[in-house]
Amino acid sequence: MPRAADPNPRLAAFFAVILVLTACVSARSLDPSLERRLGDLLLVGFHGTEVDGNAQVRHLVCDLRVGGVVLFERDAATQAPRNITSREQLGRLTGDLQALARGCAGRPLLIAVDSEGGAVMRLSPRVGYSPTLSAHELGTLGDLTVTELEALRIARMLREAGINWTLAPVVDVAVNPLNPVIVRRGRAFSLDPEVVTAHARAYLQALRDAGLRTTLKHFPGHGSSWEDSHRGFVDVTETASPEIELHPYRELINHGFVDSVMTAHVVNRNLDPDYPATLSRPTIHGLLRDALGFRGVVVSDDLMMRAITEEFGLEEAAVLALGAGVDILLISDARPGEDPGPADRAMAGIRNALARGMLSRSQIEAALARIDRFRAGVGGFRGSRPVDHSSR
């Protein structure tokens, strides 16, 4: 996550049809109280380093009332600065975002970043932060105290910056040593699932003690693939090792250490013959929720990645993901002036699906309830108590 793809031109006409259909059914056919909350289902990216004068940010936060934003250091295509240029600027940006959200939506904003350490760390030395150890380096050192201390150091950086949600740690097991997106980039702790679990638990302990929301990724496992889902279709049917790759999820969920889980855009035809995990009800609802007993928030990996955009329209993917059991849709890229932008298109698809009965009100309300519990107390000290999922 994430390297956004260009929109598929073949879908342009479909986007227009969806918007017309949505206009026809109109928001009048939806309960206004539910309509007002649909933005909480979105975690979106934007361009710009300031809130003041940024029409795109005001539209996302005030008009769409998105529940969260995800920040990036650089634009993936141009490598130009995107959201983060310095420590001082970042603190000002997050403070202004929160002030805008409270004024427009009356509740705090979830502000997320990828902060795995090593190569995938948005608060990098380029913008004034000290270097961080990768998961591979921590796993190789083999000292859980070092892992916890490094996670605590990262947590302090995030808290100081006004960030309340880290899209980490990665619990993919390094099943394939030549895996291009996880293993070769140093994002996996180990090829041993017990070692992955132990380091992830130490990492989570420190982050949660600091009051941050955390995310395990990428469910049900991306460490066995030969392909990168940023770049296109990924099939792990023949390479997945479920008993190995699900072990960290099973153990950490059972012990109450999981705030949220991010899905992978990988196809395993033994789980679902038709859809990648992000869009698969047997994978999300059946395996993660029913078999593993997870009752917390499920967030998609970026719906702008080519594994999704080359096969599905954004509207269709948004509806399929929510129907599968995903609660929060991550949409990384929204270009200034793009009309309609990807967040608008996703919202149009959701409204249309609700009006036509393709999504039920109860599904959306259940997702919103999980998001409300996830958001509760954001920014405050949570302590190290495990999460009790029994009432969820």
Side-chain angles (χ1 to χ4, degrees), residues 33 35 79 87 95 132 173 175 182 185 187 224 229 233 237 240 253 261 267 292 303 313 325 328 335 343 347 363 387:
S33 64
E35 163 79 9
Q79 292 303 300
R87 298 170 74 110
T132 52
V173 182
V175 174
I182 303 296
R185 297 195 69 198
R187 299 172 68 191
S224 69
S229 54
F233 181 79
T237 304
I253 289 169
V261 170
V267 173
L292 297 182
L303 294 183
I328 296 178
R335 298 285 167 177
M347 287 281 281
Q363 285 176 304
V387 176

Side-chain angles (χ1 to χ4, degrees), residues 21 83 129 145 156 159 168 188 194 204 208 221-222 246 277 284 286 296 317 320 328 332 349 390:
L21 286 173
N83 301 131
Y129 291 91
T145 300
R156 287 170 176 160
R159 286 292 300 270
E194 295 282 359
L204 289 165
R208 297 171 78 230
H222 208 321
L246 293 177
I284 306 304
L320 286 170
I328 296 178
S332 71
S390 61

